[in-house]
Amino acid sequence: MTFPGFPTEIWWLIVDQAASRKDVSTMLLLVRLSRAMACFVLPLMYGIVKGLTYTHADKQAVCFWRSIIVSSLGRTLYTYCCWVKTLDFSDLLNFLQDIDKSEDAQLRHIFYSPPLRYLQLLQADISNHDNLNGNVGLHVLFCEVVNKITEGIKATVDQGHVTSRLAKIRFPDLEYLPCIMYFPVWISRLTGLTTLHIHDVALLSEQVTLAIAQNCSALKHFICFTIPYEEAEKHLSRLLQTLPLNAIVIRGVIEGPHVLKALDRHSGSLKLLQLTKLGTRALGALNELQKCNALESLCLDASLAGPDVDFVRSDTAVYGQCGEWLQNCAQMTHLSLSFFPGGTQLLKDSLTGPKLRLKSLSLMAVEANVPWYTKLEYLNVEVPQLWFQELGPATGRGHGLAAGISRCPELTELETEGYLLVAEISMISEGALKLQRISFSGSLVYDAHIMPLANLPRLKEVYVTADSAFTASGILRFFKKMVETPDHDHRGFRFSAAFQQGTSIGQTENKRLRKATKRAFDGNIDIQFIDTDGEDYYYQEN
């Protein structure tokens, strides 16, 4: 294979750089150089296109979706439909709706030109006979296109000319009955699937579960958003019992124990689990997960359990088993608890276990009356990330929290909405010397609050989300102290204050701070000002 002009190795480097940046425009230019270059670049380009979003009808979106559809009909030189790794049919539905309403007649003409002229005629014919619901034509068109794409991929693979790279697929909420009926057929054609993302679990009928079990043995990741009723939970549980999945993300409401019990079937293979809407009964069955001790990442959100639920005391046996379960998750590196009743007590009891050594911890809106932060010393010594949000009243907690954080010498990212005193920030800065990013809130933050952070030699980002009253001279002293810190590296430093009060920093000083940040760190400073009425206002650059 030869390429024009430069040695082949140079072209490889250019293409590799364009692909790593997801620079589709450059890759399209490279494709036009020669057929040999097209054969090399196109498979890479279609392998990374999901880094973009093709929901709106512009020329690039028309080019992408038309090439996928026409190639599935066997009417193109290249098998684009088999090169693509990720297909989002939710994007397709939005695109078809947008192209139909587009005022750009030329764009519609390009998309519907032969051999896709029949799609436009099909939609028009349906719409003309549909007096009740104008969306039927759109869903008929969507059904036809998805059917042709999946059919074309299977036919191409069956011929043995090429192997389909399609591994990840997402389906929207399928309201049109023929789409629901065709769904198991579509799934059965995509034998290389590793990730399935659906909106409504109600789609998981027995036929769909059977199609997945018989044809999608490589499926390892499953994501869903809506579980409309308990029967749908049973459909989902059947799927979870069928395949040894590695990652499961369920954003729909889980009311009963069916899903949790099903996870026990392949507990040894499960690495990532996100359950974002646990109901009260599901929370009471959380001990069903006690065999899932191969987990590396666990996110539990019990916001639907209600404020009156006492997880710690309502069933001590269940709580005890859950504590033992987390203590034995030796491979777990990330834990997230949100709106979880008794979450801090569970965390305190779990961190003391001999096996649990987290590298990332996130707490959001859990009651913080238990001094769990004293157990932060039991975190993995390599813990790089801590996030604490909406932990309630801070009275008496700041010092202990700061002391706990300071015992994490490998910490690189800290985000907390809690109010930290100057002494507490100093404590953190003295212990977590590798901290690179910090975000904190509070009532009113002054220059003195940020000065201790200048001692951090690798500090790259500071975000103050509280009301602030910084001065230009104070921020410049902060910058000067950062530069004087031994062995410092602050390249690309960013400083952001979201709610700067009053007029202590004028327009001229604001420009001066920007120049100073750029000169010292090649960085950026972003200060958003609010007036006495709480309204945002911005300085206009001259």
PDB file of all heavy atoms in Angstrom, residues 15 18-19 22-32 41 44-46 48:
ATOM      1  N   VAL A  15      -2.509  10.407  10.548  1.00  0.00           N
ATOM      2  CA  VAL A  15      -3.827   9.792  10.739  1.00  0.00           C
ATOM      3  C   VAL A  15      -4.055   9.440  12.202  1.00  0.00           C
ATOM      4  O   VAL A  15      -5.141   9.661  12.751  1.00  0.00           O
ATOM      5  CB  VAL A  15      -3.969   8.529   9.857  1.00  0.00           C
ATOM      6  CG1 VAL A  15      -5.275   7.795  10.180  1.00  0.00           C
ATOM      7  CG2 VAL A  15      -3.947   8.902   8.384  1.00  0.00           C
ATOM      8  N   ALA A  18      -4.925  12.577  14.140  1.00  0.00           N
ATOM      9  CA  ALA A  18      -6.289  13.025  13.840  1.00  0.00           C
ATOM     10  C   ALA A  18      -7.321  12.136  14.522  1.00  0.00           C
ATOM     11  O   ALA A  18      -8.332  12.618  15.050  1.00  0.00           O
ATOM     12  CB  ALA A  18      -6.516  13.033  12.328  1.00  0.00           C
ATOM     13  N   ALA A  19      -7.080  10.827  14.537  1.00  0.00           N
ATOM     14  CA  ALA A  19      -8.017   9.897  15.167  1.00  0.00           C
ATOM     15  C   ALA A  19      -8.043  10.080  16.681  1.00  0.00           C
ATOM     16  O   ALA A  19      -9.109  10.034  17.303  1.00  0.00           O
ATOM     17  CB  ALA A  19      -7.643   8.456  14.814  1.00  0.00           C
ATOM     18  N   LYS A  22     -10.129  12.887  17.543  1.00  0.00           N
ATOM     19  CA  LYS A  22     -11.468  12.787  16.956  1.00  0.00           C
ATOM     20  C   LYS A  22     -11.716  13.926  15.965  1.00  0.00           C
ATOM     21  O   LYS A  22     -12.801  14.500  15.902  1.00  0.00           O
ATOM     22  CB  LYS A  22     -12.547  12.766  18.042  1.00  0.00           C
ATOM     23  CG  LYS A  22     -12.488  11.539  18.944  1.00  0.00           C
ATOM     24  CD  LYS A  22     -13.595  11.554  19.966  1.00  0.00           C
ATOM     25  CE  LYS A  22     -13.667  10.243  20.729  1.00  0.00           C
ATOM     26  NZ  LYS A  22     -12.435   9.920  21.463  1.00  0.00           N
ATOM     27  N   ASP A  23     -10.684  14.209  15.183  1.00  0.00           N
ATOM     28  CA  ASP A  23     -10.724  15.298  14.207  1.00  0.00           C
ATOM     29  C   ASP A  23     -11.256  14.754  12.885  1.00  0.00           C
ATOM     30  O   ASP A  23     -10.497  14.417  11.964  1.00  0.00           O
ATOM     31  CB  ASP A  23      -9.320  15.884  14.030  1.00  0.00           C
ATOM     32  CG  ASP A  23      -9.314  17.141  13.174  1.00  0.00           C
ATOM     33  OD1 ASP A  23     -10.366  17.448  12.564  1.00  0.00           O
ATOM     34  OD2 ASP A  23      -8.266  17.798  13.092  1.00  0.00           O
ATOM     35  N   VAL A  24     -12.578  14.664  12.794  1.00  0.00           N
ATOM     36  CA  VAL A  24     -13.213  14.075  11.616  1.00  0.00           C
ATOM     37  C   VAL A  24     -12.960  14.923  10.365  1.00  0.00           C
ATOM     38  O   VAL A  24     -12.791  14.391   9.267  1.00  0.00           O
ATOM     39  CB  VAL A  24     -14.725  13.888  11.848  1.00  0.00           C
ATOM     40  CG1 VAL A  24     -15.417  13.393  10.590  1.00  0.00           C
ATOM     41  CG2 VAL A  24     -14.955  12.901  12.988  1.00  0.00           C
ATOM     42  N   SER A  25     -12.920  16.245  10.506  1.00  0.00           N
ATOM     43  CA  SER A  25     -12.703  17.120   9.353  1.00  0.00           C
ATOM     44  C   SER A  25     -11.366  16.827   8.682  1.00  0.00           C
ATOM     45  O   SER A  25     -11.281  16.715   7.448  1.00  0.00           O
ATOM     46  CB  SER A  25     -12.770  18.586   9.787  1.00  0.00           C
ATOM     47  OG  SER A  25     -14.040  18.904  10.303  1.00  0.00           O
ATOM     48  N   THR A  26     -10.307  16.689   9.490  1.00  0.00           N
ATOM     49  CA  THR A  26      -8.991  16.357   8.940  1.00  0.00           C
ATOM     50  C   THR A  26      -8.998  14.976   8.310  1.00  0.00           C
ATOM     51  O   THR A  26      -8.407  14.759   7.236  1.00  0.00           O
ATOM     52  CB  THR A  26      -7.921  16.427  10.044  1.00  0.00           C
ATOM     53  OG1 THR A  26      -7.849  17.757  10.537  1.00  0.00           O
ATOM     54  CG2 THR A  26      -6.556  16.014   9.525  1.00  0.00           C
ATOM     55  N   MET A  27      -9.666  14.026   8.944  1.00  0.00           N
ATOM     56  CA  MET A  27      -9.707  12.667   8.405  1.00  0.00           C
ATOM     57  C   MET A  27     -10.450  12.628   7.073  1.00  0.00           C
ATOM     58  O   MET A  27     -10.069  11.886   6.163  1.00  0.00           O
ATOM     59  CB  MET A  27     -10.343  11.716   9.426  1.00  0.00           C
ATOM     60  CG  MET A  27      -9.575  11.629  10.734  1.00  0.00           C
ATOM     61  SD  MET A  27     -10.272  10.485  11.943  1.00  0.00           S
ATOM     62  CE  MET A  27      -9.575   8.948  11.360  1.00  0.00           C
ATOM     63  N   LEU A  28     -11.478  13.440   6.932  1.00  0.00           N
ATOM     64  CA  LEU A  28     -12.184  13.505   5.647  1.00  0.00           C
ATOM     65  C   LEU A  28     -11.284  14.063   4.552  1.00  0.00           C
ATOM     66  O   LEU A  28     -11.342  13.616   3.390  1.00  0.00           O
ATOM     67  CB  LEU A  28     -13.443  14.362   5.786  1.00  0.00           C
ATOM     68  CG  LEU A  28     -14.621  13.713   6.520  1.00  0.00           C
ATOM     69  CD1 LEU A  28     -15.730  14.731   6.769  1.00  0.00           C
ATOM     70  CD2 LEU A  28     -15.171  12.533   5.730  1.00  0.00           C
ATOM     71  N   LEU A  29     -10.450  15.028   4.883  1.00  0.00           N
ATOM     72  CA  LEU A  29      -9.500  15.561   3.902  1.00  0.00           C
ATOM     73  C   LEU A  29      -8.491  14.494   3.494  1.00  0.00           C
ATOM     74  O   LEU A  29      -8.129  14.371   2.314  1.00  0.00           O
ATOM     75  CB  LEU A  29      -8.770  16.768   4.484  1.00  0.00           C
ATOM     76  CG  LEU A  29      -9.610  18.035   4.712  1.00  0.00           C
ATOM     77  CD1 LEU A  29      -8.786  19.101   5.422  1.00  0.00           C
ATOM     78  CD2 LEU A  29     -10.139  18.570   3.379  1.00  0.00           C
ATOM     79  N   LEU A  30      -8.035  13.705   4.473  1.00  0.00           N
ATOM     80  CA  LEU A  30      -7.092  12.633   4.181  1.00  0.00           C
ATOM     81  C   LEU A  30      -7.710  11.568   3.275  1.00  0.00           C
ATOM     82  O   LEU A  30      -7.042  11.014   2.390  1.00  0.00           O
ATOM     83  CB  LEU A  30      -6.608  11.993   5.488  1.00  0.00           C
ATOM     84  CG  LEU A  30      -5.734  12.870   6.387  1.00  0.00           C
ATOM     85  CD1 LEU A  30      -5.551  12.224   7.758  1.00  0.00           C
ATOM     86  CD2 LEU A  30      -4.374  13.100   5.735  1.00  0.00           C
ATOM     87  N   VAL A  31      -8.999  11.299   3.498  1.00  0.00           N
ATOM     88  CA  VAL A  31      -9.699  10.299   2.686  1.00  0.00           C
ATOM     89  C   VAL A  31      -9.680  10.677   1.207  1.00  0.00           C
ATOM     90  O   VAL A  31      -9.568   9.819   0.325  1.00  0.00           O
ATOM     91  CB  VAL A  31     -11.158  10.146   3.188  1.00  0.00           C
ATOM     92  CG1 VAL A  31     -12.004   9.393   2.171  1.00  0.00           C
ATOM     93  CG2 VAL A  31     -11.176   9.412   4.521  1.00  0.00           C
ATOM     94  N   ARG A  32      -9.744  11.982   0.929  1.00  0.00           N
ATOM     95  CA  ARG A  32      -9.836  12.446  -0.455  1.00  0.00           C
ATOM     96  C   ARG A  32      -8.504  12.394  -1.201  1.00  0.00           C
ATOM     97  O   ARG A  32      -8.458  12.622  -2.413  1.00  0.00           O
ATOM     98  CB  ARG A  32     -10.376  13.878  -0.474  1.00  0.00           C
ATOM     99  CG  ARG A  32     -11.795  14.003   0.064  1.00  0.00           C
ATOM    100  CD  ARG A  32     -12.359  15.393  -0.186  1.00  0.00           C
ATOM    101  NE  ARG A  32     -13.700  15.524   0.337  1.00  0.00           N
ATOM    102  CZ  ARG A  32     -14.009  16.145   1.466  1.00  0.00           C
ATOM    103  NH1 ARG A  32     -13.041  16.697   2.199  1.00  0.00           N
ATOM    104  NH2 ARG A  32     -15.253  16.238   1.880  1.00  0.00           N
ATOM    105  N   VAL A  41      -7.920   5.155   6.252  1.00  0.00           N
ATOM    106  CA  VAL A  41      -8.478   6.142   7.174  1.00  0.00           C
ATOM    107  C   VAL A  41      -9.926   5.867   7.543  1.00  0.00           C
ATOM    108  O   VAL A  41     -10.329   6.020   8.703  1.00  0.00           O
ATOM    109  CB  VAL A  41      -8.351   7.565   6.576  1.00  0.00           C
ATOM    110  CG1 VAL A  41      -9.011   8.591   7.501  1.00  0.00           C
ATOM    111  CG2 VAL A  41      -6.899   7.918   6.342  1.00  0.00           C
ATOM    112  N   LEU A  44     -10.859   3.721  10.584  1.00  0.00           N
ATOM    113  CA  LEU A  44     -10.521   4.408  11.830  1.00  0.00           C
ATOM    114  C   LEU A  44     -11.521   5.513  12.136  1.00  0.00           C
ATOM    115  O   LEU A  44     -11.941   5.693  13.277  1.00  0.00           O
ATOM    116  CB  LEU A  44      -9.112   5.006  11.728  1.00  0.00           C
ATOM    117  CG  LEU A  44      -7.941   4.021  11.684  1.00  0.00           C
ATOM    118  CD1 LEU A  44      -6.637   4.770  11.468  1.00  0.00           C
ATOM    119  CD2 LEU A  44      -7.877   3.204  12.965  1.00  0.00           C
ATOM    120  N   MET A  45     -11.918   6.251  11.082  1.00  0.00           N
ATOM    121  CA  MET A  45     -12.842   7.364  11.285  1.00  0.00           C
ATOM    122  C   MET A  45     -14.197   6.876  11.772  1.00  0.00           C
ATOM    123  O   MET A  45     -14.777   7.428  12.711  1.00  0.00           O
ATOM    124  CB  MET A  45     -13.013   8.149   9.984  1.00  0.00           C
ATOM    125  CG  MET A  45     -13.798   9.443  10.148  1.00  0.00           C
ATOM    126  SD  MET A  45     -13.971  10.339   8.604  1.00  0.00           S
ATOM    127  CE  MET A  45     -15.252   9.373   7.806  1.00  0.00           C
ATOM    128  N   TYR A  46     -14.707   5.820  11.172  1.00  0.00           N
ATOM    129  CA  TYR A  46     -16.010   5.307  11.586  1.00  0.00           C
ATOM    130  C   TYR A  46     -15.925   4.598  12.943  1.00  0.00           C
ATOM    131  O   TYR A  46     -16.938   4.399  13.598  1.00  0.00           O
ATOM    132  CB  TYR A  46     -16.577   4.367  10.523  1.00  0.00           C
ATOM    133  CG  TYR A  46     -17.282   5.113   9.425  1.00  0.00           C
ATOM    134  CD1 TYR A  46     -16.569   5.671   8.373  1.00  0.00           C
ATOM    135  CD2 TYR A  46     -18.652   5.315   9.460  1.00  0.00           C
ATOM    136  CE1 TYR A  46     -17.199   6.391   7.368  1.00  0.00           C
ATOM    137  CE2 TYR A  46     -19.301   6.033   8.474  1.00  0.00           C
ATOM    138  CZ  TYR A  46     -18.567   6.568   7.435  1.00  0.00           C
ATOM    139  OH  TYR A  46     -19.201   7.288   6.449  1.00  0.00           O
ATOM    140  N   ILE A  48     -14.427   5.951  15.502  1.00  0.00           N
ATOM    141  CA  ILE A  48     -14.399   6.959  16.576  1.00  0.00           C
ATOM    142  C   ILE A  48     -15.533   7.975  16.457  1.00  0.00           C
ATOM    143  O   ILE A  48     -15.612   8.900  17.265  1.00  0.00           O
ATOM    144  CB  ILE A  48     -13.050   7.708  16.595  1.00  0.00           C
ATOM    145  CG1 ILE A  48     -12.750   8.375  15.245  1.00  0.00           C
ATOM    146  CG2 ILE A  48     -11.938   6.789  16.997  1.00  0.00           C
ATOM    147  CD1 ILE A  48     -13.077   9.815  15.158  1.00  0.00           C
TER     148      ILE A  48
END
